[in-house]
């Protein structure tokens, strides 16, 4: 039997598209976001079109108690075998324009909830020797030059989290995928206060999710739908790994010694 899929940020955009695709593949769903009424509309359509069972779990993933409720569902519901950690937001402006409160909210949503939900699902999946975690990161997590410093930092966290979890949980039978979308047409831009007239051309959300699912089916650790030459990512990882032996040195490198 197909495992149930819990999707965060399922009320719109990438998350709603994952819901559509997994329902068409015959998976029951648990949908998580703040807007319960909107998820109900999506669920009613998908139930009618596909016949799968869909639960709605309204939650604000910037709130500790709500994160704990969703984490408990992931721990206790052994029918859930796939977590799509997708809920997220962006923040307009540069660091000097942003408030501490907005930065703290973004970090709670884009990193804290991601880690706690991955931990809850990952621990059970590892004990069962199966299960998958999909973390929606962003190419911005690779681009400090984009000047979206806080958002990019949260997405770099999502990439590292995925790589670390894959290393820890992969040998226990858990598959972890990081998906790095580039600019994709969703509500995230309006929500962050962007001027829609000035936005560049973007990838269609259906194409993005279908590509991400092709990567999922191939069990890729990292899926970057917009990246033409996949060998560039491999070279980037090889450069990082080539540094690792030096990190065991007990003496500073020669250039730091007088
Ligand atoms: P979106 O259409 O704005 O969707 C964001 C989803 O997250 C919505 O379902 C929203 O639902 C939910 N959400 C927002 N705040 C929440 C909160 N406090 N608690 C629970 N759920 C919350 O944007 P999207 O583009 O699909 O974004 C999905 C993911 O893709 C994000 O992690 C984003 O960073 C990533 N991404 C997007 C792009 C892009 O260009 N679109 C590029 C790279 C990465 P409610 O409002 O109902 O809570």
């Amino acid at each position: 039997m197909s495992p149930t899929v819990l999707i965060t940020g399922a009320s719109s955009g990438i998350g709603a598209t994952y819901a559509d695709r997994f329902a068409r593949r015959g998976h029951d769903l648990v949908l998580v976001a703040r807007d319960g009424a909107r998820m109900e509309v999506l669920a009613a359509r998908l139930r009618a079109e596909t016949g799968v069972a869909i639960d709605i779990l309204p939650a604000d993933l910037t709130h500790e108690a709500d994160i704990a409720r969703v984490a408990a569902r992931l721990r206790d519901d052994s029918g859930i075998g796939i977590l799509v950690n997708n809920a997220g937001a962006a923040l307009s402006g540069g660091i000097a324009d942003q408030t501490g409160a907005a930065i703290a909210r973004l970090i709670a949503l884009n990193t804290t909830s991601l880690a706690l939900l991955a931990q809850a699902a990952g621990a059970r999946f590892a004990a069962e020797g199966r299960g998958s975690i999909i973390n929606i990161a962003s190419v911005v997590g690779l681009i400090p030059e984009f000047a979206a410093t806080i958002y990019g930092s949260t997405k770099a966290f999502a990439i590292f989290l995925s790589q670390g979890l894959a290393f820890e949980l992969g040998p226990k039978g858990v598959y972890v995928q990081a998906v790095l979308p580039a600019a994709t047409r969703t509500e995230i831009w309006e929500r962050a206060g962007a001027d829609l007239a000035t936005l560049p051309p973007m990838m269609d959300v259906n194409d993005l999710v279908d590509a991400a699912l092709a990567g999922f089916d191939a069990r890729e650790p990292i899926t970057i739908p917009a990246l033409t030459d996949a060998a560039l990512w491999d070279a980037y990882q090889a450069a990082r790994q080539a540094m690792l032996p030096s990190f065991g040195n007990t003496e500073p490198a020669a250039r730091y010694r007088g």
Side-chain angles (χ1 to χ4, degrees), residues 9 11-12 14 34-35 59-61 86 137 151 155 184 186 191:
S11 64
S12 69
I14 293 170
R34 290 167 303 181
D35 190 337
D60 184 334
L61 296 175
N86 162 78
Y151 177 74
K155 294 304 178 178
T184 305
T186 69
R191 290 181 196 245

